[in-house]
Amino acid sequence: MPQSLARIAVHIVFSTKNRQRYLTGDDLRIRMHRELGTISNKLDCPPVRIGGVEDHVHILAYQSRTIALAEWVKELKRVSSMWIKEQSPHQAAFQWQAGYGAFSVSHSQTPDVVHYIDNQVEHHRKFDYKTELLTMLRLHEIEYDEQYLWD
């Protein structure tokens, strides 16, 4: 085949450093999600849905066939960190955590993941980020050492 084609949906999750609640207020959070979408689009990784709460984000997007996952996430964090620090002096200490979780999503499961991301506020009335991430890691059968999960 002379042409390279791919459609790989990825659910990416990462938190603020030490799960600080930097993204308070709906306006700031919505603007951050929009910024993450803009960055992802510029990397040729079109977002499907972006959401989250005060201390973490969920990104469902299609990975470009020309960028590695680690590079994609690195750029999302780097550019969005610079952006939020420009928004207010109160955000000068903003940082994302060092790591991230990334999970493949089949085409048939995309609507379920969109629904999950859309309901983050409700979901986090019952579960914190740590519980959520541990559950996702177990569901996807990803081995981990918990001492290296949190920063």
Side-chain angles (χ1 to χ4, degrees):
M1 177 154 84
Q3 188 177 23
S4 299
L5 303 169
R7 185 155 176 110
I8 301 168
V10 182
H11 181 186
I12 301 168
V13 183
F14 52 86
S15 79
T16 57
K17 179 100 172 163
N18 298 315
R19 288 158 313 286
Q20 292 288 325
R21 299 168 79 79
Y22 284 112
L23 302 174
T24 57
D26 290 341
D27 181 57
L28 178 61
R29 197 166 38 257
I30 289 167
R31 288 180 18 228
M32 172 59 85
H33 298 164
R34 191 174 299 129
E35 181 66 16
L36 288 164
T38 299
I39 298 161
S40 197
N41 258 326
K42 286 180 181 176
L43 296 169
D44 199 25
C45 298
V48 176
R49 186 70 93 238
I50 300 174
V53 292
E54 295 89 355
D55 65 350
H56 70 280
V57 295
H58 290 258
I59 301 166
L60 175 62
Y62 294 109
Q63 184 176 355
S64 168
R65 60 181 179 74
T66 61
I67 190 168
L69 178 63
E71 199 59 34
W72 177 18
V73 176
K74 177 181 163 187
E75 279 301 291
L76 286 168
K77 290 180 180 183
R78 184 184 70 78
V79 177
S80 65
S81 289
M82 290 188 315
W83 172 84
I84 198 167
K85 289 174 183 180
E86 293 170 355
Q87 302 307 300
S88 164
H90 302 329
Q91 299 292 349
F94 180 89
Q95 291 181 358
W96 292 114
Q97 72 175 117
Y100 61 91
F103 310 93
S104 62
V105 178
S106 69
H107 183 71
S108 64
Q109 291 299 309
T110 299
D112 293 336
V113 176
V114 167
H115 179 75
Y116 181 79
I117 292 171
D118 285 347
N119 287 288
Q120 280 293 292
V121 172
E122 181 64 31
H123 174 76
H124 285 288
R125 289 189 179 128
K126 301 173 193 164
F127 303 101
D128 64 5
Y129 174 71
K130 282 186 172 185
T131 303
E132 177 181 48
L133 184 62
L134 291 172
T135 300
M136 293 174 79
L137 292 171
R138 287 185 196 113
L139 285 172
H140 288 268
E141 298 180 6
I142 297 175
E143 292 184 25
Y144 61 91
D145 184 337
E146 193 162 353
Q147 72 177 344
Y148 299 111
L149 282 179
W150 318 116
D151 69 347

